[in-house]
Each structure stands twice: as structure tokens, then as C-alpha cells.
Amino acid sequence: MKKSCIISHYCQIRDHAVIGDDETLYERCGADLSDFFTGIYQHFDISYPKFYKMDNLCKLGFLSVELLLMDRNIQQRYAGHEVGIILMNASSSLDNDRHHQQTILDRSAYFPSPAVFVYTLPNIVIGEICIRHKFTGEGTFFVRERFDPLFLFNYVNQLFYQDVVQCCIAGWVETLGDYYDSTVYLIEKTGKPDAGITIFEPDTIKHIFAKEK
Amino acid sequence: MLAEMTGIRLKEDNSIAPAPFYASVVDTALLAEKFAVIDDPVQYTRFEQLAICSLHDALSRSDVDPADPGTLFILSTTKGSIDLLEKEKENKFGQDRIHLWNAARLIQRFFTFRNEPLVISNACISGVQAILTGARLISAGLSDNVVINGTDIVSEFVLAGFNSFQSLSNGPCRPFDKSRDGLSLGEGSGTVVLSKTPFNSNRAGNIVVGEGFSSNDANHISGPSRTGEGLFIAINRLLKKSPVEVDYISAHGTGTPYNDEMESIAITRAGLQSVPVNSFKGYWGHTLGAAGIIETVMCLYSMHTGVLFGTKGYNEPGITHPINITGHSMKKDIKNCLKIASGFGGCNVALLLHKI
Amino acid sequence: MEQLIQKLKEEIIEALNLSEMKPADIDEKAPLFVDGLGLDSIDALELTVLLEKKYGLKINTAEEGKKILHSVNSMAEFITANKKS
């Protein structure tokens, strides 16, 4: 039996708040989704102008992982190809698909935008995160009706077991219209004993996902 | 294909494009006729009809029982029934039909798969990534059989998008050729059935899905890496773990200047420049989420029959790194086949198929 | 011309989501695609769409595109020379 991995950190963006490892890092009620995301970006002093070009799914995934990895020195501790990103959601890129569809509804004003079209694939969020953090490892985007902690556990666990990854970011990144909900967590083989470490298993993922601020 | 004919035609269809375009499109009447044998086509979207047709055919020739608790169904697609989006709220199939998970659920119920289906949507590598995922789930003991279907349709949504990217060719696409000027879209559906144990009745049983890796360029969300970084990493990791002699490479070969150039660089960096390479895109275009499945099916065919297909549309090399592109069909005994693919989001995948 | 340049800068900021920039931050003489604004191939395509959408002008070849999209000035010159009055 191989040693279990650990969840070294997690980050959650939902209900107008950002939670990192059980702590509320940022809260802003009443803002619409776009202002809320921009608020997070500015609050944490993130300097990455490409953020403004992203669609909402990418913004949500980008911010979640940005805060998950802040000051964790992942790039120093792992080679790029050792870090995997396995994400899941329900609506794929439908939120931005609607946006692209708007540009082609009217034949007399038919101006499809390449900057919109490129985001009509859910895995672009993985690409954006990889570019930002220089990760060149395994990446897969799954779609299921609901968050599936058991499947995500099993899949990521076998990636570790088969030495495909040494470190993995996994979770749920969903946005559609005004709705947004993300939970991402960092899985490693070992961690510092002082950190709030939890064993990587389906129940702990379930527990993290079910948290409310 | 043996006669080296292409299915890519100049289409004039004002319902999906304001101007004529080159694409490989499934004949609607023929599809409805074929589907009518299975069920009433009126009840299903074009995407669903294609997927169900292919799955119906594959399952009827396989011993795998969808109702078996060890059987998982994976759907590989980029856009599902995206043609419903134009009239999202008032289309006759209902608002939810456009969701990918819902498309997979509908197919699950149709074939009575017991387990909740899984959708993989990883741009143009979806199909190969789905096979890799299925093989991993089996080797980890999480599934006994994995039925993988890859389907995508030619839609106004996708045509307009690729057109805005200026990546559509002015004729049938010409992978790796000097005069290549873009890709041709295609539509289609393919199914592969992976199984823990070989079936005696099935001649596909002597092909094993070997190692595979995906890798990200970490460079740009639409443009392929100029150094072939991600694809090279994927191939290199694969060959390190499984150092076999590769007999044949089935390339992504879309026919865009950048993709084909990038692949030639990655193949050369991996030391595989003398291995025969082909692209199937010149025959039926780029079928997006279906591409990796349909092309893998063709690889299996080549491994069984020893017929290595030519690269339709290829005439004169147009890449800076000279790789061994197969112009016309030839006979070759293939034991180890390398399937590669790359896509938007900087994703790349390499997968090995062995004949035993 | 001055007015057109100012307008173009605003349109470019909007089309390319350069949210942290103001028109004054863009040097109309400087190359758009070398370092400066950090623009990429998608931005180039997006500027092509902008010229078509707002000015009804099409860029026909990649070489032509490179010249026209070199700077805000070159874009303005192209618009002025081809504008249907």
C-alpha cells in the first residue's frame, strides 16, 4: 500500500467571498460577478494584465489557483511537468459560448471575435493557469452534472500512483451567468507538519467542498 | 481512402455560414435514414444522432455490457449540440439539451449504461485524452470496460469562430504541404471500446493501449509553441517510460501553417524524424472532439491490415524540420503506433498503441 | 487625424481589454506588437475585426496586415486613405 497524499491547501470562491484554508481572505457583498472578480484581483495586488482579457470561467479559475498558490513556491519545488491540473464543472464553457453566439446572431452585424471564440472551450482555463505558473504537466477538463469528489479522488490518486504527477491542482470551477462557484485544492506527497494538512481522501474533499463561510 | 479520395467539399449553406466554405459534412438524409433503423430521428439532435449511430454500431459488435457495473461511458466532445444555442430558450429539444453532461446522460439512458457518464472536453486533444483516461481507469482497477465515443458537428458557431481566427483553408486542407493555408472542418463520430480482458470474438483485442502523457505548452492559449515544447515533453515522457521502436506516427496535422510546423519540430526533437508520419485530416477534415477517436480507429485499422494511409493533400514538404511524411498509401507492418494531438489551451497529448 | 488617433486608442483599449491603460499611455508612433503593450496574435486578429466593424475596412493579406497594424499611426493612415466618404 502506497503512502497517502495530502491536501496541503485549498481555496474557495463562492457567495461573495474568498476562503483559503478555513480563513476568509476577502469578502465583498453586493458586487456583480465582474466587479467581484476585479475586486479580488486588485485586493491581492495581482499584476497580470491578461486577466482582463479572460472570460469569467478563466477569471474564476485563474483567481482560485492564484490564491491557492500564493507564497507556496510551487515553481521552485517542482519541475513544470510534475504539476498536473485536473478540473471539472457542469456548464463547460456555456457562459462564454453565449457571448460568442451573440456576435453571430445578426448577419448584418456579423463580427465574431477571436478573443471571445478562443474561450469557448473549458480547458482554456487550464492553459491560462499553466502559462501563468509555467506548468507543463498533465491537464484534463471533465464535465459532470455535479462535483464528484470520489471520481476526482480516484483519478488524481492514480496519476500520483503512476508517477504522472508529483503535485496536482484539482477541483471544481463553475460559472454560468451570475452564478459562480469554485473549490480548488493542492495535492502533494508530503507537507510541512505545521500546516493545516488533511489526508487526501474522498471524505476530506467532500468536507472541503461542503464548507460554508 | 484507399482510392485517396477526400470527403471535403465546397459547401454553400446559408443556414450555417454567410459565405461558401470547405468542410466534410455528413449527409443529413443519409444520417436520418441510418438513424431511423435505431430510433425516431426527429427526437434527437444532429449531435446525438451521430453519437448514437456510432455507439450502436460499436456496441452491437462488442461483448461489453453497458449495464455491467464495471463499464464506464466517456463522451469526448468540444461542443456537443451547440447548434441549439442559436435558439437556446425556444428550441424544440428544451433548454437543458445543450449541456454536455446532459448529452452524455441522454446517451447513457439510451444504451442503459449503469454508471454516470464522464465528459472530457479538452479542445482538439479530447479524443486521445479520453482514450488515455479510459486506459488509466482500467489499469488502476477502477473500471473493467470503458466505452468512449467522440463526436462533434460542423456548426455556424465553430465555423464563424475558426473563420475569425483566419484558420480555415481556401480548399481542402493540405497537411504538412508547402502550400497549406489552414484547416478544413469536419464532423463525425467514432467509438472505441477498451477492455481489461481481450475478447476472443473481437480482432481489436490484440491491440494494447500503452503509455501516454499530456502536457501543456505554458506558452499561449491559441498559438502552438514555436519550439514544440508541450508535444515534445509528452512524447519524451512516453518514450522514457516505454522505450520502444515507434513504427508509425499518426499526427494531428491540421493543415494550419503553425500546427504542422510545430509538430515537425517536436517529432524531430524526440528523435523520430525518420518514422513514417501521416495526417488523416485531408480525408474528412478536423472533427475536433471526435478527431482523436476516429483517427485512433484508423490507426487500429492500419495496425491490423498493414496498410499505412497516405496524407491526402500533401505534395511537397513545407516544414523546416524534414520528417518522414507518407504521401501515398503503402504496406507496412506496424507494431508500435504513436498517436499525437495538440489543441487550443496549449494542450498536447501522446499515446502509444502496441500490437501483441 | 489627431481626433482619429485619440478615438482609435480608445477603441483599441476597449477591444483588447487593456483595462489598466489610458489613451495617453499608448504612443501612436510606437510599434503595437513589440513589447510595448504586450499584444499577441489574438490581439492582431481582434484589431482586424475592429477595422472591419467600425470602419468597414478589410485587410486582405498577412503582409498588408503587418504594415497596417504596425502602430496606431499606421492604422489611422490606412483608415484615412481608404475611408469611404
Side-chain angles (χ1 to χ4, degrees), chain B residues 274-315:
Chain B
S274 59
V275 178
V277 178
N278 72 358
S279 160
F280 292 112
K281 301 285 193 300
Y283 292 101
W284 54 79
H286 191 347
T287 54
L288 308 175
I293 305 289
I294 299 175
E295 289 166 16
T296 298
V297 170
M298 293 313 299
C299 291
L300 300 178
Y301 181 88
S302 288
M303 293 172 88
H304 283 302
T305 57
V307 175
L308 202 167
F309 290 98
T311 302
K312 182 71 190 166
Y314 172 77
N315 210 356

Side-chain angles (χ1 to χ4, degrees), chain A residues 103-172:
Chain A
T103 69
I104 55 170
L105 278 181
D106 183 358
R107 282 287 164 84
S108 62
Y110 199 79
F111 297 107
S113 151
V116 174
F117 179 67
V118 73
Y119 289 106
T120 61
L121 294 161
N123 65 300
I124 302 298
V125 62
I126 296 176
E128 291 282 18
I129 295 165
C130 286
I131 294 168
R132 168 66 165 169
H133 300 280
K134 303 272 169 284
F135 297 150
T136 55
E138 195 74 20
T140 312
F141 203 102
F142 295 112
V143 178
R144 259 190 176 164
E145 188 177 0
R146 275 179 282 273
F147 179 65
D148 186 342
L150 183 61
F151 173 79
L152 280 175
F153 166 78
N154 280 329
Y155 190 72
V156 172
N157 204 35
Q158 62 82 29
L159 291 181
F160 275 98
Y161 193 74
Q162 295 178 13
D163 264 339
V164 176
V165 297
Q166 301 301 318
C167 168
C168 191
I169 295 158
W172 177 260

Side-chain angles (χ1 to χ4, degrees), chain A residues 68-88:
Chain A
L68 177 75
L69 301 184
M70 208 166 247
D71 305 322
R72 314 275 186 235
N73 297 319
I74 295 295
Q75 277 186 60
Q76 283 73 44
R77 292 197 282 127
Y78 298 99
H81 71 268
E82 294 176 334
V83 185
I85 304 178
I86 308 297
L87 297 177
M88 184 183 263

